Amino acid sequence: MSLYAPDLDAFDGPLAVAGPRDVANALRALAMDAVQQANSGHPGMPMGMADVATVLFTRFAKLDPSRPDWPDRDRFVLSAGHGSMLQYAVQHLLGYADLPIEELERFRQLGSKTPGHPEYGHTLGVETTTGPLGQGLATAVGLALAERMMAARFGRGLVDHHTWVIAGDGCLMEGISHEAIDLAGHLRLGRLVVLWDDNAISIDGSTSLSTSTDQLARFRAAGWQVARVDGHDPEAVAAALERARRSQRPSLIACRTIIGYGAPGKQGTEATHGAPLGADEVAAARDRLGWPWPAFEVPEAIRDVWRAATRRGRDAREAWQARLARSPRRADFERTVAGRLPDEVGEALTGLRRRLADEKPALATRKASELALAAINGATDLTVGGSADLTHSNLTITKGLEPVAPGRFAGRYLHYGVREHAMAAVMNGLSLHGGFIPYGGTFLVFSDYARGAIRLSALMGRGVVYVMTHDSIGLGEDGPTHQPVEHLAMLRATPNLAVYRPADAVETVECWELALADRKRPSVLALSRQGLPALRTEADSPNRSARGAYLLRQPEWGRDVTLLATGSEVAIALAAAELLAAEDIAAAVVSMPCWERFEEQDEAYRALVLGNAPRVAVEAAARFGWDRWLGEGGRFVGMPGFGASAPAGALYRHFGITAEAVAEAARGLCHA
Amino acid sequence: MSLYAPDLDAFDGPLAVAGPRDVANALRALAMDAVQQANSGHPGMPMGMADVATVLFTRFAKLDPSRPDWPDRDRFVLSAGHGSMLQYAVQHLLGYADLPIEELERFRQLGSKTPGHPEYGHTLGVETTTGPLGQGLATAVGLALAERMMAARFGRGLVDHHTWVIAGDGCLMEGISHEAIDLAGHLRLGRLVVLWDDNAISIDGSTSLSTSTDQLARFRAAGWQVARVDGHDPEAVAAALERARRSQRPSLIACRTIIGYGAPGKQGTEATHGAPLGADEVAAARDRLGWPWPAFEVPEAIRDVWRAATRRGRDAREAWQARLARSPRRADFERTVAGRLPDEVGEALTGLRRRLADEKPALATRKASELALAAINGATDLTVGGSADLTHSNLTITKGLEPVAPGRFAGRYLHYGVREHAMAAVMNGLSLHGGFIPYGGTFLVFSDYARGAIRLSALMGRGVVYVMTHDSIGLGEDGPTHQPVEHLAMLRATPNLAVYRPADAVETVECWELALADRKRPSVLALSRQGLPALRTEADSPNRSARGAYLLRQPEWGRDVTLLATGSEVAIALAAAELLAAEDIAAAVVSMPCWERFEEQDEAYRALVLGNAPRVAVEAAARFGWDRWLGEGGRFVGMPGFGASAPAGALYRHFGITAEAVAEAARGLCHA
């Protein structure tokens, strides 16, 4: 059990004199040296939490650095991501292949494996990108939830691991922490353990400047097991971790620490938080810590302790692999972890598209999405649905999806509560863990609340799907607080995020096909509350949304004007084209369900679709971004500002988003 | 004290039989009737909270409907904004001039005074726009804080009121609620009282689907006084309100209620939350409630009780006005409430601009902002500064600004903690209360976290100022999680929000002048971490940023190309122009500190600035939105996606945002 003490007993050389704290001091030294060398970074947290991290990684965390992606490994999340040198130092000493000492020496340099904050997909062993405070904690809830859900599917023999989090004061101040701990406590995620770096210092100074909350009472109120320990007392930390490991409820361990521990002139103050200690203070810290070795040098004896700590993980991994090899569920497990969708999903969606093209129902696109989800969820069990308390508005639940409930993890539907931000972060966690393709719903306007985590979906390249309904003034009476105007622009401006706004039922199914196929990019489906006519009624069509935009209506001879539109406004553009046709003005209509995909097409295709005629765009949203497609002198019909409270039809008329207005704009261009 | 019971004793007619509950049932009837008539809306909350609201408004709230903007009135915030009919019904019965019964009959119709969610500036007595859950609660913290701060300045004789909030389960689930209650508890805002509609129902069904938190324990952990009452027992509610009114700490009163109380077939279920009850159920509710009167009809005897309740408020207002008339601080108080900036502010800023133009210091624009703030804060005491725990990064504090601390409200600086969302909402509250011009800082990338409340600043037209530093990859080593790329687009796309990105010290001061002058529109100042050269060095310049964009460099004879840039990239554009000049390519350089203001200029000015030559834009951000200014075939030099962790100079080179790259793009256009 305790690797820490026995291995230290076997030491000789300086350590025999210096004592076991040197094992942790290796982290402190590497952190302060790397920050000093970079002349940038955060030494305070790594130095303060070195003792806690040493206990966690040498005695508890189940990791095998030679197989950093082993499915049943423990997950570690550094929610206080600015302390990245703590994680890099640990992983260097544990022997992760991509972190030789040279990479620590290149801390925060271009192209190094040691960026300022831990980046998923960039450095082995980094389970999620952190830095924006609170995100790691909330994502860890998703990781821990995924573990329970996978265990419910495959049993403890194949899935049995913990999620360990180091969080700081800032993480616990951010609003997302509330959503995360509330949900984790509710679901009784006993495998989640949060080590709070309770150093009572934030950037502005003492945390007493801005908070008086009794965090233990707060977490207890949310159903967590809580403990408080001296973060510089390894045995106390170990005892708390041991208790947490056996808990049926998520655990918070408040680790009382001294920020910048060991830097004699600055420890315990915000001066150690986000700046190099300075050469003199680094030297003084070496003295104080009894760490005589030069920068970036760690004695072999200490390295041995760290390496030895990986034995437990390697043994566990090998035993697990033997179990997997014998398991009758092996193929199923591997397919699930790989996230490979069965062919049946594509077939079901193609079938649905054909049926919709044939039956031509007038449907809200949220309703068409519900039909798509029924097809998807019936053909695979990889998908996990959910909504931020708008299930029957987002239409995200389908027949047979049982909810996940406290202590019951076999279900496939999450009642996330009124917690958009945590929903997005938990979806990131579910996706990062492996085994699930999460989708979750809210109103498009509340993408505002989820922004922080949506950005991380994009930055990490996770193929989660945001089902965002009520996507314009078409939602009607709820008024401007609920009517997205700038949100399509906000989301389209976000790198590596595909924003879909389908025009009818068939396009909605197409967009779902594309979102599911995109396993390295998150998708937003912007869906209408209101019913929309069937526009795509041709038999056996290929997925036309795949190219992002396409000619939906093409005049027989040339075109005088091109009308561009998305979603609910495509029908308006078509009606405008009819009005214009009556005046012998030939209008092409382009449906643009996904700008990002259209941007990815070659120039020739884009030119073919956009044509040379003057253009009018119509979208019940802000103009911002549309000039990309309008060309010189193009017109835009859309929202001039915020919406209003009234029935949808009245609003479209009030804001002049009508076929008549589009036709009038087109006439203006054609007669110019 | 108790208006409720005595006035009822005096009733005759049906009420003598029906009993005092009819006073509350008037609210229930109006709510269900209006929702039924609109065929849209939320009857459940008003019917559930009618008893609580009746006690609050007839016995506690200090309001005078004839003077809805009286400065020392109590503030009421319906954080559960979907229950708007509760507020409209109350204000109708209290006699607010803009809410005759006809307006209730036009609930949720275009142009009515009764939109789906309460809208500030639209309906008298609505103190803040609500609907997005949790916003009202957090804004109320700002209102309650403003009261204490004004009281600290002017004394209890002039400032002595309460802030009452009705919040729902959803408000308490949202992350922003944590930030808000943490801060309110810390600061000991005893004048803040939250009535929680504890009906245990959210849209998806029972709240037990998604939360198990002990809310009373949670609020207690944050330093609140808490109580639990039967929300249908007026005397219990009154006793709790009386205790809360006297508390030195903020109070939570959990009001156990039955959602949709009185609708016999649906009450207690989510069916009453967000849809009309239906004609049969409305009729059945009339029976159950003993409310025989037709839709929208309220007997005079009941109206009398409500009208009588305003006597207390009118008396209080008249007494207050007498005190104000006698007060030696009267002029000062009125000037403060009006938010009129003294001329000294403009003079100080003009002087600073002159000095900077003369001295030509190379400064980060965040540093220039600090200088501007020193000038502003020295010339007026209307400004209230703050930061979300990045004070010495945002440079938002200036000499002599004392922090506000628990129970000590004379200060002018707020340590908001790591709470960007609450900071924005609290600034909205400070601004709405009157008496303050709040500004607050965070990193630009964390505008993500504050989005929900920034949008409300814009929707409500409040002139708060967001000081958002570290505005691009120029922040360097912190990496992509901290480098805004899409945020300028997100903010520029938001209606009624002015986004400034000044290029040097002089422009920064100009932008501060403009932000302060805009009292009906919020401003974002996007400021550099890194030092920037002085570009604006002409003596006695007018405020050139006022027109949003202007020619900073104009070639002597004509122009071959126009280079557009903002902020830190303007210097790059100027350097590119020099490179091009050496090749006899005449490049104009346009600095565009504020797109919104440029958009507001007349066509002639815009054409003059933009010219007819081909254009290259450079901004260390996403291209999204720039096509508005690029014209046909224009080029963009900027960020192709997310950033990276490295020193700033290395990043600019890595991403090709250099004078050479801009010059090369310009050459391509000129030789095309």
Side-chain angles (χ1 to χ4, degrees):
Chain A
M1 175 58 236
S2 174
L3 285 175
Y4 197 81
D7 283 345
L8 283 174
D9 291 344
F11 282 171
D12 56 2
L15 269 182
V17 182
R21 208 166 287 275
D22 284 283
V23 179
N25 284 342
L27 304 177
R28 292 192 170 95
L30 288 172
M32 70 181 181
D33 290 343
V35 171
Q36 191 63 25
Q37 170 125 331
N39 195 27
S40 159
H42 302 77
M45 192 283 238
M47 297 179 78
M49 284 294 279
D51 297 313
V52 172
T54 300
V55 175
L56 174 64
F57 284 98
T58 62
R59 295 167 66 170
F60 288 87
K62 187 177 72 169
L63 297 167
D64 180 356
S66 72
R67 291 286 297 277
D69 59 350
W70 160 43
D72 199 36
R73 70 190 181 281
D74 283 357
R75 303 311 198 261
F76 170 70
V77 174
L78 189 76
S79 191
H82 52 274
S84 57
M85 263 314 301
L86 180 68
Q87 183 162 9
Y88 301 146
V90 164
Q91 293 185 179
H92 164 71
L93 292 169
L94 290 175
Y96 280 73
D98 63 345
L99 287 180
I101 195 74
E102 293 74 22
E103 288 295 330
L104 273 60
E105 292 173 6
R106 300 211 304 128
F107 181 50
R108 294 184 151 231
Q109 302 309 302
L110 192 63
S112 79
K113 287 291 178 184
T114 50
H117 294 82
E119 294 180 24
Y120 170 80
H122 184 86
T123 311
L124 298 176
V126 173
E127 304 285 0
T128 183
T129 297
T130 53
L133 294 177
Q135 293 291 339
L137 174 58
T139 307
V141 172
L143 290 167
L145 173 61
E147 193 270 349
R148 289 291 79 190
M149 291 174 68
M150 284 291 277
R153 283 152 177 74
F154 292 100
R156 199 169 164 171
L158 294 184
V159 185
D160 184 12
H161 55 268
H162 280 78
T163 300
W164 313 97
V165 179
I166 289 181
D169 290 299
C171 293
L172 302 196
M173 285 197 218
E174 290 285 4
I176 191 174
S177 70
H178 167 59
E179 302 183 16
I181 73 170
D182 195 354
L183 190 60
H186 173 68
L187 293 175
R188 297 194 212 126
L189 299 178
R191 299 307 183 91
L192 177 64
V193 181
V194 175
L195 295 149
W196 167 34
D197 180 14
D198 178 17
N199 61 29
I201 292 292
S202 71
I203 294 177
D204 276 7
S206 165
T207 52
S208 67
L209 286 173
S210 58
T211 187
S212 310
T213 287
D214 177 343
Q215 292 287 359
L216 265 56
R218 174 194 174 205
F219 276 76
R220 213 182 288 116
W224 288 52
Q225 179 197 269
V226 300
R228 183 184 294 286
V229 299
D230 174 354
H232 300 299
D233 175 349
E235 291 314 313
V237 172
L241 279 168
E242 189 53 45
R243 207 163 49 244
R245 173 149 71 178
R246 285 181 279 107
S247 170
Q248 301 299 305
R249 291 179 292 152
S251 296
L252 173 79
I253 304 174
C255 306
R256 208 74 179 76
T257 64
I258 296 168
I259 190 171
Y261 182 97
K266 296 186 174 180
Q267 69 177 18
T269 75
E270 64 273 22
T272 68
H273 167 80
L277 296 177
D280 292 349
E281 182 76 0
V282 167
R286 286 194 139 71
D287 269 0
R288 167 71 69 96
L289 294 168
W291 184 266
W293 297 284
F296 297 107
E297 208 174 296
V298 178
E300 276 308 306
I302 293 173
R303 291 188 175 278
D304 284 344
V305 181
W306 281 97
R307 277 189 216 110
T310 64
R311 255 181 257 145
R312 197 170 20 89
R314 196 169 56 244
D315 292 350
R317 195 257 303 163
E318 285 167 358
W320 177 85
Q321 267 183 321
R323 289 196 300 277
L324 180 66
R326 289 192 307 269
S327 169
R329 307 286 309 280
R330 178 179 176 169
D332 193 13
F333 181 85
E334 290 178 339
R335 184 190 55 77
T336 299
V337 168
R340 260 195 313 277
L341 282 166
D343 295 341
E344 285 78 4
V345 174
E347 290 159 13
L349 289 173
T350 309
L352 174 60
R353 269 209 278 138
R354 284 202 185 123
R355 183 164 70 76
L356 291 168
D358 184 48
E359 295 179 1
K360 308 174 185 49
L363 288 179
T365 51
R366 64 177 171 143
K367 182 73 193 161
S369 167
E370 183 183 35
L371 297 177
L373 279 170
I376 295 162
N377 292 336
T380 180
D381 49 13
L382 284 174
T383 44
V384 177
S387 167
D389 196 43
L390 288 167
T391 293
H392 301 294
S393 297
N394 304 140
L395 303 176
T396 36
I397 204 164
T398 61
K399 211 177 134 185
L401 283 205
E402 289 298 318
V404 171
R408 299 210 322 271
F409 299 100
R412 290 174 61 194
Y413 193 80
L414 285 155
H415 289 289
Y416 285 107
V418 189
R419 303 185 187 102
E420 299 82 7
H421 205 172
M423 175 175 76
V426 167
M427 288 205 289
N428 285 339
L430 289 167
S431 169
L432 288 162
H433 182 277
F436 301 101
I437 299 178
Y439 68 86
T442 184
F443 289 163
L444 180 57
V445 82
F446 298 133
S447 57
D448 280 351
Y449 276 45
R451 255 300 290 173
I454 294 174
R455 185 171 206 253
L456 284 183
S457 309
L459 183 55
M460 294 192 285
R462 303 310 305 171
V464 302
V465 184
Y466 294 95
V467 180
M468 302 228 166
T469 69
H470 295 60
D471 71 346
S472 76
I473 53 164
L475 67 84
E477 294 89 341
D478 274 344
T481 54
H482 285 55
Q483 290 160 358
V485 167
E486 70 274 36
H487 299 76
L488 291 169
M490 167 178 98
L491 296 164
R492 286 168 178 157
T494 306
N496 200 41
L497 176 65
V499 182
Y500 297 95
R501 190 161 187 258
D504 77 345
V506 169
E507 264 197 19
T508 304
V509 181
E510 289 179 341
C511 293
W512 259 114
E513 290 174 1
L514 299 168
L516 283 181
D518 238 347
R519 295 294 83 230
K520 299 277 186 191
R521 176 164 67 170
S523 299
V524 170
L525 301 179
L527 303 170
S528 76
R529 175 195 186 203
Q530 72 273 31
L532 301 177
L535 307 178
R536 287 281 305 285
T537 55
E538 71 276 21
D540 292 328
S541 167
N543 185 327
R544 303 187 73 187
S545 301
R547 305 192 80 170
Y550 62 93
L551 276 161
L552 179 62
R553 180 188 198 276
Q554 199 159 9
E556 262 181 279
W557 304 288
R559 42 174 141 159
D560 301 314
V561 65
T562 299
L563 310 180
L564 311 172
T566 78
S568 41
E569 286 69 67
V570 175
I572 291 175
L574 284 169
E578 292 299 322
L579 293 177
L580 293 166
E583 305 165 34
D584 279 338
I585 297 175
V589 174
V590 174
S591 179
M592 304 188 72
C594 181
W595 289 17
E596 294 79 16
R597 285 182 172 269
F598 189 52
E599 194 75 81
E600 289 157 12
Q601 303 307 306
D602 59 33
E603 183 57 43
Y605 177 75
R606 285 209 304 266
L608 185 79
V609 170
L610 295 172
N612 294 319
R615 295 174 205 147
V616 178
V618 53
E619 184 170 69
R623 176 187 181 130
F624 199 89
W626 268 104
D627 288 85
R628 172 75 184 90
W629 311 116
L630 281 180
E632 198 73 36
R635 303 272 177 96
F636 177 72
V637 175
M639 292 295 290
F642 292 110
S645 173
L651 290 174
Y652 271 89
R653 285 188 299 278
H654 175 70
F655 290 109
I657 305 175
T658 60
E660 291 69 25
V662 173
E664 184 55 33
R667 270 181 222 114
L669 288 176
C670 295
H671 300 151
Chain B
M1 174 61 234
S2 174
L3 285 175
Y4 197 80
D7 286 343
L8 283 174
D9 289 346
F11 282 172
D12 58 0
L15 269 182
V17 181
R21 209 167 284 277
D22 284 281
V23 180
N25 283 343
L27 303 177
R28 294 191 170 95
L30 288 172
M32 72 181 180
D33 289 344
V35 171
Q36 191 63 26
Q37 169 125 331
N39 195 26
S40 161
H42 301 77
M45 190 283 238
M47 297 178 78
M49 285 294 279
D51 296 314
V52 172
T54 301
V55 176
L56 174 64
F57 284 97
T58 61
R59 295 168 66 171
F60 289 86
K62 186 177 73 169
L63 297 167
D64 180 357
S66 72
R67 291 287 295 277
D69 60 351
W70 161 43
D72 199 36
R73 72 193 179 277
D74 283 356
R75 304 311 198 260
F76 171 70
V77 173
L78 189 77
S79 190
H82 51 274
S84 57
M85 263 314 301
L86 180 67
Q87 183 162 8
Y88 301 145
V90 164
Q91 293 184 180
H92 163 72
L93 291 170
L94 289 177
Y96 281 72
D98 63 346
L99 287 180
I101 195 73
E102 294 74 22
E103 287 297 329
L104 273 59
E105 292 173 5
R106 301 210 305 129
F107 182 49
R108 293 183 154 233
Q109 303 309 303
L110 192 62
S112 79
K113 288 289 178 188
T114 50
H117 294 82
E119 295 180 23
Y120 169 78
H122 184 85
T123 311
L124 296 176
V126 173
E127 303 284 1
T128 183
T129 297
T130 54
L133 295 177
Q135 293 291 340
L137 175 56
T139 306
V141 172
L143 290 167
L145 174 60
E147 192 271 348
R148 288 291 79 193
M149 290 174 69
M150 284 290 277
R153 283 153 178 71
F154 293 98
R156 199 169 164 172
L158 294 184
V159 185
D160 184 12
H161 54 269
H162 281 77
T163 300
W164 313 97
V165 179
I166 290 182
D169 290 299
C171 293
L172 302 196
M173 285 198 217
E174 291 286 4
I176 191 174
S177 70
H178 167 58
E179 302 184 14
I181 72 169
D182 195 353
L183 190 60
H186 173 68
L187 293 175
R188 296 194 212 127
L189 299 177
R191 299 305 183 91
L192 177 64
V193 181
V194 175
L195 295 149
W196 167 33
D197 180 15
D198 179 17
N199 61 28
I201 292 291
S202 71
I203 294 177
D204 276 7
S206 165
T207 53
S208 67
L209 286 173
S210 58
T211 188
S212 309
T213 287
D214 177 345
Q215 293 288 0
L216 266 56
R218 174 194 174 207
F219 275 76
R220 213 182 289 116
W224 287 52
Q225 178 195 270
V226 300
R228 183 183 296 286
V229 299
D230 174 354
H232 301 299
D233 175 349
E235 290 314 313
V237 172
L241 280 168
E242 190 52 45
R243 206 163 50 244
R245 174 149 68 177
R246 285 181 281 109
S247 170
Q248 299 300 305
R249 292 179 292 152
S251 296
L252 174 79
I253 304 174
C255 306
R256 207 75 180 77
T257 64
I258 295 168
I259 191 171
Y261 183 97
K266 296 185 173 179
Q267 69 176 21
T269 76
E270 64 273 22
T272 67
H273 167 79
L277 296 176
D280 292 350
E281 182 76 1
V282 167
R286 286 194 137 68
D287 269 0
R288 168 68 70 95
L289 294 169
W291 184 265
W293 297 283
F296 296 107
E297 206 173 298
V298 177
E300 277 307 308
I302 292 174
R303 291 187 175 278
D304 285 343
V305 180
W306 282 97
R307 277 191 217 108
T310 63
R311 255 182 260 146
R312 196 169 23 87
R314 197 172 54 244
D315 292 349
R317 196 254 305 161
E318 285 167 358
W320 176 85
Q321 268 183 320
R323 288 196 299 278
L324 179 66
R326 288 192 306 269
S327 171
R329 307 285 310 280
R330 178 179 178 170
D332 191 15
F333 181 85
E334 289 178 339
R335 184 190 52 80
T336 299
V337 167
R340 258 195 314 278
L341 282 166
D343 295 342
E344 286 78 4
V345 174
E347 290 158 13
L349 289 173
T350 308
L352 174 62
R353 271 209 277 137
R354 284 200 186 126
R355 183 163 71 77
L356 291 168
D358 182 49
E359 295 178 1
K360 308 173 185 50
L363 288 180
T365 50
R366 64 174 170 146
K367 182 74 191 160
S369 166
E370 185 183 33
L371 296 177
L373 280 170
I376 295 162
N377 292 337
T380 180
D381 50 12
L382 283 173
T383 44
V384 177
S387 167
D389 196 41
L390 288 168
T391 293
H392 302 294
S393 297
N394 304 139
L395 302 177
T396 34
I397 203 164
T398 61
K399 214 178 132 183
L401 282 205
E402 289 298 317
V404 170
R408 299 211 320 271
F409 298 100
R412 289 175 61 194
Y413 194 80
L414 285 155
H415 288 290
Y416 285 108
V418 189
R419 305 187 187 101
E420 298 81 6
H421 205 172
M423 175 175 75
V426 167
M427 288 204 292
N428 286 339
L430 288 168
S431 168
L432 288 161
H433 182 277
F436 302 101
I437 299 178
Y439 68 86
T442 184
F443 289 164
L444 180 58
V445 82
F446 299 133
S447 57
D448 281 350
Y449 277 45
R451 256 301 289 172
I454 294 174
R455 186 172 206 255
L456 285 183
S457 309
L459 184 54
M460 295 192 285
R462 302 311 303 170
V464 300
V465 184
Y466 293 95
V467 180
M468 303 234 168
T469 69
H470 295 61
D471 72 347
S472 76
I473 53 166
L475 66 87
E477 294 89 341
D478 274 346
T481 53
H482 284 55
Q483 290 160 357
V485 168
E486 70 274 36
H487 299 76
L488 290 169
M490 167 178 97
L491 296 165
R492 286 169 179 158
T494 306
N496 199 40
L497 176 66
V499 182
Y500 296 95
R501 190 163 185 256
D504 77 346
V506 169
E507 264 197 18
T508 304
V509 180
E510 288 179 342
C511 293
W512 259 115
E513 289 174 1
L514 298 168
L516 283 182
D518 238 347
R519 295 294 83 228
K520 298 278 185 190
R521 175 163 70 169
S523 299
V524 170
L525 301 180
L527 303 171
S528 76
R529 176 196 185 203
Q530 72 273 29
L532 300 177
L535 307 177
R536 287 281 305 285
T537 55
E538 72 276 19
D540 292 326
S541 168
N543 186 326
R544 303 187 72 186
S545 301
R547 303 192 82 169
Y550 63 94
L551 276 162
L552 179 62
R553 180 190 196 277
Q554 198 160 9
E556 261 181 280
W557 305 289
R559 42 174 142 160
D560 300 316
V561 65
T562 299
L563 309 181
L564 312 173
T566 77
S568 42
E569 285 70 66
V570 175
I572 291 175
L574 285 169
E578 292 299 322
L579 293 177
L580 293 166
E583 303 166 34
D584 281 335
I585 297 176
V589 174
V590 175
S591 180
M592 304 187 72
C594 181
W595 290 17
E596 295 78 17
R597 284 181 173 269
F598 189 51
E599 195 74 82
E600 289 158 13
Q601 303 307 308
D602 59 36
E603 183 59 40
Y605 178 76
R606 285 209 304 268
L608 183 80
V609 171
L610 294 171
N612 294 318
R615 295 174 207 147
V616 178
V618 53
E619 184 170 70
R623 174 184 180 132
F624 199 90
W626 268 102
D627 288 84
R628 171 76 183 89
W629 311 116
L630 282 178
E632 198 75 33
R635 302 272 177 94
F636 177 73
V637 175
M639 292 295 291
F642 292 110
S645 171
L651 290 174
Y652 270 88
R653 285 189 298 278
H654 175 71
F655 289 109
I657 304 175
T658 61
E660 291 70 25
V662 173
E664 184 55 32
R667 272 180 220 115
L669 288 177
C670 295
H671 301 148

